[in-house]
Structure formats: structure tokens, C-alpha cells
Amino acid sequence: MQATKQLRGNCQCCGRDQAVKNGKMAKHGYTKEHGWFNGVCSGEFFAPIQVSRTQTDKIIADITAEIPELLAQAEQVVMGKLLPAVVVTGRYNQRVTIPYAEATTYDQRHARDQMIWELRNRASAGKTFIEAMANIANEYHGKPLSEVAKKVAPTPVGINEVKILNGNRIVSVRVEGGSVFYKPEGLNTAWSSYVSTTKWRNLATA
């Protein structure tokens, strides 16, 4: 019998509330392109924060140590003791990458300013992240996992399904992502329009 309940907890690496499977976080933090998972959060290898915060505390310690290094590098750039290796120059689709020493004074200054901004911005983002993760760990560690009802996946939209739209019979001809392409039933034409899969399911079945 298929389980109707799902255990959920907070990820030790990103803090988000996700499903828990076999004592560890389910795969999450990804986009799905061409049938492949991209950008999977490393939290899938660890227990939820409710059970353990070891990995969270390690991440916090690592980023805490990195922040002063990033700020120090930014100051090195300000003083001219650390310079970008290359400069990106040009306009739009004609942009090229050249060695820093070969760039104009303007482009060199812009590259230094960009480098300073990136270093300081990374440090600021790191500070915000570790504060958020510490708050999540302090709030949820030691508490029980939540149990919720599993969402029932909607029935996939098929080809040649017939629905009623504005009093007319229409038939699905293809499905792409969240869109259902359709045409009038019985009409042999390449023309088609589309609606969302949600709207298609809500149409009356012919």
C-alpha cells in the first residue's frame, strides 16, 4: 500500500523545508532540464536539522572564516596590491577578454571596481546566509519532524483528449511543459492554440 503521509524537515545546507526519506533529506534544490537534474543541494546526503546540525555548524564555521578573507582581498584591490588577471571589454556581443595590463585605464578601473564589489558582496551574502542558517538551526534542532499528507500528483494530460471550450469540442495535439496545445476536433490543420495544463484539466470532458 502506498504511503499517504510524508515526513518533512529542514535541510542542513540550505535550511529549506523538504521531504525526508530514509533518514536523510530528499533530493532538492534542482531544476529539471532535458530530463536531467541540475543544481542538486548537497543537503541530500545529510539528516535534517531536526536530527543533526553538525553539517550546518560546519558550513557556518567555514563561511565565518572566509568572510574576513574576502574583505581583506577587497582592501588589497583598493590599495592596488591585488589586481584582476583579465578585463572584459567591448559592447554587447562584441565583448572580449584581455589581460589586465593590456586594457585601457578606464577598463582597468572598472575591472577593479567590479572585483571589489564582487568580493564585498560575497562577504555580505555569506553573513546573511550564516545568520539565517543559525536561526533555523536554533529554532528547529531537537524538534520532531513534521508529517503531512502527500500531494496527489495530477493525472498527466494525454494526446487526443477531447474537451469543451466555449461550447466547442477541442482536442489536445501535444503537451509542452505546462501548456496543452489544441485544435478544433475534426479539423485537419497545423494551426493550434494552447492553455495551461491546469485550465485544460478543469475544462469539461466531451
Side-chain angles (χ1 to χ4, degrees):
M1 181 177 178
Q2 189 174 9
T4 58
K5 297 289 185 179
Q6 180 187 78
L7 287 176
R8 297 184 69 86
N10 293 83
C11 174
Q12 287 197 63
C13 296
C14 69
R16 287 179 291 183
D17 177 73
Q18 300 287 344
V20 176
K21 294 183 178 180
N22 300 320
K24 296 181 179 180
M25 302 304 301
K27 191 183 296 290
H28 65 280
Y30 56 81
T31 57
K32 192 173 183 182
E33 298 175 8
H34 310 297
W36 298 95
F37 291 112
N38 295 312
V40 180
C41 177
S42 58
E44 66 169 316
F45 300 108
F46 304 99
I49 282 177
Q50 284 83 349
V51 177
S52 171
R53 58 178 292 168
T54 302
Q55 183 62 17
T56 300
D57 290 336
K58 180 180 183 302
I59 291 173
I60 290 174
D62 289 345
I63 297 177
T64 299
E66 184 180 0
I67 288 173
E69 295 177 2
L70 292 168
L71 294 176
Q73 288 179 37
E75 289 306 309
Q76 291 283 308
V77 180
V78 171
M79 294 184 292
K81 296 181 179 180
L82 177 64
L83 300 175
V86 296
V87 170
V88 179
T89 186
R91 292 181 176 273
Y92 309 113
N93 61 341
Q94 297 180 339
R95 296 179 71 77
V96 295
T97 300
I98 61 176
Y100 177 84
E102 297 178 12
T104 64
T105 301
Y106 172 84
D107 285 338
Q108 287 179 343
R109 183 172 66 251
H110 178 74
R112 292 195 304 272
D113 290 344
Q114 181 67 23
M115 188 175 182
I116 293 167
W117 181 87
E118 289 176 354
L119 288 165
R120 289 175 175 172
N121 186 63
R122 180 172 172 81
S124 177
K127 182 179 179 181
T128 299
F129 180 72
I130 62 177
E131 287 176 351
M133 290 301 296
N135 288 336
I136 291 171
N138 292 336
E139 180 177 357
Y140 293 105
H141 180 61
K143 293 186 178 179
L145 299 173
S146 59
E147 188 176 63
V148 299
K150 275 189 174 181
K151 292 183 179 180
V152 178
T155 303
V157 176
I159 306 303
N160 296 322
E161 290 185 4
V162 181
K163 297 279 190 174
I164 303 297
L165 178 63
N166 299 327
N168 301 311
R169 294 169 65 94
I170 58 174
V171 59
S172 57
V173 293
R174 73 179 190 276
V175 180
E176 293 183 5
S179 299
V180 181
F181 290 80
Y182 67 87
K183 63 182 180 179
E185 185 183 27
L187 184 62
N188 185 17
T189 176
W191 173 90
S192 66
S193 187
Y194 67 92
V195 295
S196 68
T197 52
T198 299
K199 182 172 182 178
W200 180 265
R201 293 188 183 97
N202 291 332
L203 292 175
T205 302

